[in-house]
Amino acid sequence: KAGVTQTPRYLIKTRGQQVTLSCSPISGHRSVSWYQQTPGQGLQFLFEYFSETQRNKGNFPGRFSGRQFSNSRSEMNVSTLELGDSALYLCASSPLTGGGNEQFFGPGTRLTVL
Amino acid sequence: QKEVEQDPGPLSVPEGAIVSLNCTYSNSAFQYFMWYRQYSRKGPELLMYTYSSGNKEDGRFTAQVDKSSKYISLFIRDSQPSDSATYLCAMSIGSSARQLTFGSGTQLTVLP
């Protein structure tokens, strides 16, 4: 079974621009979560989507948004980019079967904001 | 104070050693506990997943959860150079609050 895929893998943007990242979960997984990883703050939860609905949101500004499509694929968008948004953005999918909470991560999208 | 504390290391051991990695946490509502391994410039890979207290073994890896002490551990037996990576503990409340709260990660190097 194919793992979580994320595109693009690398992205360079300038301050003030916006960016959209894409995530395809493991086949059959319906929950998709997004995380930001930086050297200073580590891995931090952004939001979770299930059945096209945002179920939880982390402590990030409204510039960070996301959505999920009917095929469970998800996108996240960051508007008005700031230098501090430079990070590895990770997507994780979960089967949500039997109350399971395992989350499987993709390789991430490395965003650099200049 | 962070909800999950993890010694960042770095930790360096000779090949074949037993490695012990630990995390402490403050939120008693955490029920699901995971250990991830992350190689440089890669996404985290799920190693172990446990629910509530107890031990779980998978090959050379053993995960222990002590909810009374709010303490979790990962043991790696017969460590190999290929185990060199950053190890992250993660936990969640589950059900309606599924987001993972991560430790800062411990950087491990296994010397041949």
Side-chain angles (χ1 to χ4, degrees):
Chain A
K1 189 182 276 192
V4 177
T5 58
Q6 292 187 244
T7 56
R9 294 292 311 280
Y10 302 91
L11 209 48
I12 299 175
K13 293 286 188 178
T14 56
R15 279 181 300 173
Q17 287 188 308
Q18 75 166 18
V19 67
T20 299
L21 313 180
S22 181
C23 170
S24 292
I26 293 170
S27 178
H29 288 195
R30 296 168 62 195
S31 167
V32 173
S33 298
W34 289 88
Y35 294 81
Q36 181 196 65
Q37 186 175 30
T38 59
Q41 298 298 318
L43 267 152
Q44 294 185 289
F45 171 77
L46 280 157
F47 27 66
E48 180 201 3
Y49 285 88
F50 175 74
S51 291
E52 302 176 64
T53 302
Q54 186 181 91
R55 298 211 306 180
N56 290 295
K57 185 171 169 41
N59 189 25
F60 279 83
R63 300 185 297 106
F64 291 82
S65 63
R67 59 178 176 168
Q68 186 181 34
F69 302 94
S70 58
N71 61 359
S72 294
R73 191 177 68 85
S74 177
E75 288 180 348
M76 69 162 282
N77 183 77
V78 188
S79 62
T80 320
L81 284 166
E82 300 177 0
L83 295 179
D85 297 333
S86 293
L88 181 66
Y89 289 89
L90 293 157
C91 167
S93 75
S94 180
L96 284 188
T97 54
N101 221 40
E102 304 102 312
Q103 294 189 29
F104 300 89
F105 284 83
T109 294
R110 187 164 297 278
L111 171 65
T112 302
V113 182
L114 302 176
Chain B
Q1 185 188 5
K2 291 185 176 182
E3 272 191 296
V4 181
E5 298 281 356
Q6 183 175 8
D7 186 341
L11 180 62
S12 186
V13 301
E15 183 175 355
I18 296 175
V19 177
S20 172
L21 304 168
N22 311 293
C23 288
T24 59
Y25 62 94
S26 57
N27 188 347
S28 58
F30 286 137
Q31 296 188 82
Y32 298 88
F33 304 91
M34 282 143 274
W35 285 95
Y36 287 87
R37 176 174 64 191
Q38 186 173 25
Y39 292 112
S40 181
R41 308 190 76 82
K42 303 283 188 184
E45 171 193 7
L46 180 62
L47 282 177
M48 300 291 283
Y49 167 79
T50 53
Y51 169 70
S52 195
S53 284
N55 294 357
K56 185 174 183 179
E57 187 173 321
D58 185 0
R60 296 185 295 112
F61 299 92
T62 299
Q64 290 185 350
V65 175
D66 182 348
K67 291 189 70 179
S68 63
S69 301
K70 298 190 182 67
Y71 188 87
I72 70 171
S73 300
L74 177 71
F75 297 95
I76 307 173
R77 291 183 299 280
D78 188 25
S79 56
Q80 303 294 311
S82 58
D83 294 327
S84 298
T86 296
Y87 289 80
L88 297 147
C89 63
M91 45 200 81
S92 73
I93 296 170
S95 63
S96 62
R98 297 167 35 77
Q99 61 264 35
L100 296 177
T101 301
F102 282 86
S104 56
T106 299
Q107 186 178 344
L108 171 68
T109 300
V110 181
L111 302 169

